[in-house]
């Protein structure tokens, strides 16, 4: 339910990105299946301290958790800048910080 043209544009952009991501995942899945069927099974290689390395899923989760915290921090910073500079804006044009999320 888009409430304004900006929101509609953002929703359309996100939808397009999701469709593109799905296409890429399907292509990579097909590629990986093809490679698995061609490449012979490799003997297990032991890497020293491999059991102490984080799993790829943990690395991705950690990176996105950090990015989420950073983005939240930047939003708070921008909102605070708007608050302290709002007296400089004329009339009712002062931003309503935190009003829409």
């Amino acid at each position: 339910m888009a409430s304004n043209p900006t929101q509609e544009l953002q929703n359309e952009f996100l939808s397009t990105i999701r469709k593109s991501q799905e296409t890429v995942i399907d292509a990579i899945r097909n590629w990986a299946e093809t490679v698995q069927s061609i490449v012979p099974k490799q003997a297990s290689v032991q890497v020293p301290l491999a059991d102490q390395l984080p799993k790829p899923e943990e690395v991705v989760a950690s990176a996105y958790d950090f990015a989420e915290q950073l983005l939240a921090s930047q939003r708070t910073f921008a909102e605070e800048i708007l608050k302290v500079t709002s007296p400089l804006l004329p009339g009712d044009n002062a931003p309503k910080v935190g009003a829409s999320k």
Side-chain angles (χ1 to χ4, degrees), residues 4 9 48 51 74 94:
N4 62 51
L9 184 60
D51 59 329
Q74 286 299 105

Side-chain angles (χ1 to χ4, degrees), residues 22-94:
E22 290 169 5
T23 301
V24 169
I25 289 171
D26 287 342
I28 292 173
R29 181 180 296 114
N30 289 335
W31 172 81
E33 289 170 357
T34 301
V35 169
Q36 282 179 324
S37 69
I38 296 171
V39 176
K41 298 282 183 200
Q42 299 289 329
S44 179
V45 177
Q46 298 298 323
V47 177
L49 306 175
D51 59 329
Q52 296 178 13
L53 294 173
K55 292 181 171 61
E57 299 85 4
E58 294 169 341
V59 173
V60 169
S62 176
Y64 275 91
D65 288 346
F66 173 73
E68 184 178 302
Q69 292 170 7
L70 180 61
L71 187 58
S73 175
Q74 286 299 105
R75 180 180 186 154
T76 300
F77 174 70
E79 290 173 347
E80 290 297 318
I81 294 294
L82 289 174
K83 282 183 196 175
V84 299
T85 59
S86 65
L88 301 174
L89 299 174
D92 288 338
N93 292 333

